[in-house]
Amino acid sequence: MPYGWDADREAEFAPCTAKGLLPGRVLRVDRGQCDVITPTGVVRADTEFVTPRDPMRVVCTGDWVAVDPDGDPRFVRSLLPRRTAIVRSTSSKRSEGQVLATNIDHIVICVSLAVELDLGRIERFLALAWESGAQPLVVLTKADLVPDVTGLSYLVQDVETTAPGVQVLPVSSTTGEGIEVLRAIVADGTSVLLGTSGAGKSTLANALLGEDVMDVRATRDVDGKGRHTTTTRNLLVLPGGGVLIDTPGLRGVGLWDAATGVNQVFSEIEDLAQQCRFHDCAHEAEPGCAVLAAIEDGALPERRLESYRKLVRENQRIVAKTDARLRAEIRRDWKLKGAEGRAAMQAKRGRLR
Ligand SMILES: Nc1nc2c(ncn2[C@@H]2O[C@H](COP(=O)(O)OP(=O)(O)OP(=O)(O)O)[C@@H](O)[C@H]2O)c(=O)[nH]1
Ligand SMILES: [Mg+2]
Ligand SMILES: [Zn+2]
């Protein structure tokens, strides 16, 4: 299957094979049902299974699942472990996590150049992306609307300073600029397009597909608060290899237990903090503070520090509101990075001994 099935999946699925179930990847979910691509074709199945009331266990686009081929009604019988998961907090007061997409390798954050850059929003998307375990990349869409090359390079630089460790690529679905570079990146593994409504995600999906599969409509208002053209998350196979998920525009990107992601977005501040005189420096007025010194000499924009503080505080509030047991469970299941980190630590300790 061109969907990313591999030997590890095969092993994970073995108990399900024994039960006569079919493996498949979820192409889309709507109204409690999902389309699952299996070796025998697309199967429609009910999503409710195991613990249907747990929002984190709800079947999501990108999931690998087991379906019963002959069931009536057919339903998803098992969910294979998620290697990565993009989780945001819902706007509800209870602050639950909502899984946007799973088993993703590249997160393509789409930012429209038709409107003024909102660096704070990019940082939010990046925190969410890093936390998922996948590699983010920022695509600046509609580059054809920035006529002046110098102007464009400044915009790219602005985003680059906001996104350490992240590739920033201007693209245009109209002129084709940057599309080949992006196609090469997404040819490997599963990629998801994330961004606000009207950012040009579906237009980009069509450009990468080489045909008009996703609906595109002119946006009525520029800030994305209007109607959404894409309403479900759709998994598509790219002709040049790779799997792409187009998603509906996100209005808000509330963080959900994303401390690691936040630290990664602001890695240059974390690096500077290592050089502060005091171990527990709050970078407020302490003597020998390397972060404040960097702001003083212009190396670090003050906006970055403020944004960092804001996201750290917001994340702490969310964490305080959510169920610790649930978070621990998710850590155990999905936080691959954590597991790898622990393995590296153990290896290090082994070496020291
Ligand atoms: N000039 C220009 N316009 C573009 C480009 N890409 C997309 N657009 C326009 O932007 C509008 C929105 O594009 P969509 O692809 O529907 O945006 P989307 O991000 O999928 O929006 P939602 O599905 O609502 O989340 C459409 O009018 C597109 O024609 C581009 O590269 N250049
Ligand atoms: Mg769309
Ligand atoms: Zn400091």
Side-chain angles (χ1 to χ4, degrees):
M1 282 198 280
Y3 290 90
W5 185 254
D6 58 28
D8 288 342
R9 288 295 184 208
E10 189 82 45
E12 287 163 2
F13 197 76
C16 295
T17 311
K19 286 184 206 145
L21 300 175
L22 271 180
R25 194 156 190 201
V26 177
L27 300 176
R28 82 179 54 76
V29 179
D30 62 297
R31 285 170 299 229
Q33 293 217 299
C34 57
D35 289 337
V36 181
I37 177 78
T38 73
T40 58
V42 177
V43 160
R44 198 155 172 82
D46 286 354
T47 53
E48 303 246 321
F49 79 112
V50 203
T51 49
R53 296 236 299 286
D54 180 348
M56 294 302 216
R57 293 274 162 200
V58 170
V59 171
C60 179
T61 304
D63 273 333
W64 283 101
V65 296
V67 288
D68 48 346
D70 313 311
D72 186 21
R74 238 189 236 122
F75 61 105
V76 169
R77 295 278 297 273
S78 176
L79 182 63
L80 296 198
R82 290 166 168 167
R83 291 185 189 163
T84 62
I86 308 175
V87 186
R88 70 154 170 183
S89 68
T90 57
S91 36
S92 78
K93 283 210 181 67
R94 279 194 297 157
S95 171
E96 287 172 337
Q98 181 196 12
V99 187
L100 296 178
T102 62
N103 303 313
I104 305 297
D105 301 289
H106 307 281
I107 299 181
V108 183
I109 300 168
C110 299
V111 178
S112 168
L113 289 173
V115 291
E116 209 182 320
L117 282 182
D118 181 343
L119 297 178
R121 178 146 67 199
I122 296 175
E123 287 163 340
R124 268 169 189 284
F125 271 111
L126 284 169
L128 200 83
W130 281 123
E131 189 69 27
S132 73
Q135 172 69 43
L137 126 104
V138 177
V139 155
L140 301 176
T141 61
K142 315 192 191 184
D144 55 284
L145 298 179
V146 185
D148 141 49
V149 181
T150 325
L152 181 60
S153 74
Y154 282 131
L155 292 169
V156 171
Q157 271 171 39
D158 272 0
V159 178
E160 276 171 347
T161 41
T162 303
V166 172
Q167 186 176 353
V168 179
L169 181 69
V171 304
S172 166
S173 301
T174 305
T175 65
E177 176 182 355
I179 300 294
E180 280 312 312
V181 179
L182 184 58
R183 187 173 283 140
I185 296 168
V186 299
D188 162 49
T190 300
S191 304
V192 63
L193 303 173
L194 281 190
T196 54
S197 189
K201 299 177 295 298
S202 299
T203 312
L204 197 55
N206 289 339
L208 292 166
L209 285 160
E211 58 178 317
D212 288 349
V213 171
M214 296 303 299
D215 272 351
V216 165
R217 240 174 287 156
T219 29
R220 270 189 312 199
D221 58 336
V222 288
D223 64 0
K225 289 200 179 75
R227 134 201 89 171
H228 293 233
T229 303
T230 309
T231 53
T232 55
R233 298 182 273 273
N234 300 278
L235 188 142
L236 312 152
V237 172
L238 295 168
V243 169
L244 186 71
I245 299 177
D246 185 18
T247 66
L250 291 177
R251 271 177 214 176
V253 258
L255 300 183
W256 197 85
D257 193 19
T260 315
V262 170
N263 287 344
Q264 205 132 8
V265 181
F266 298 95
S267 60
E268 88 276 31
I269 298 180
E270 298 272 304
D271 289 348
L272 285 165
Q274 302 279 309
Q275 293 152 40
C276 293
R277 187 178 306 159
F278 301 111
H279 200 66
D280 57 351
C281 186
H283 326 305
E284 262 149 18
E286 292 88 341
C289 172
V291 174
L292 293 179
I295 290 175
E296 196 74 11
D297 69 21
L300 178 71
E302 196 164 4
R303 191 200 64 77
R304 283 284 280 172
L305 182 60
E306 281 162 12
S307 188
Y308 175 57
R309 288 198 166 121
K310 193 169 157 224
L311 288 186
V312 166
R313 273 197 303 268
E314 177 184 318
N315 188 60
Q316 284 166 347
R317 269 199 306 275
I318 299 282
V319 166
K321 277 203 287 183
T322 45
D323 183 350
R325 181 199 52 81
L326 187 61
R327 276 188 287 118
E329 218 167 82
I330 287 148
R331 278 252 137 64
R332 194 185 57 221
D333 284 5
W334 302 346
K335 300 271 162 123
L336 198 66
K337 281 176 302 170
E340 279 170 357
R342 278 194 298 281
M345 285 293 284
Q346 271 156 8
K348 216 176 190 176
R349 260 184 252 125
R351 241 178 284 131
L352 290 175
R353 238 180 258 135

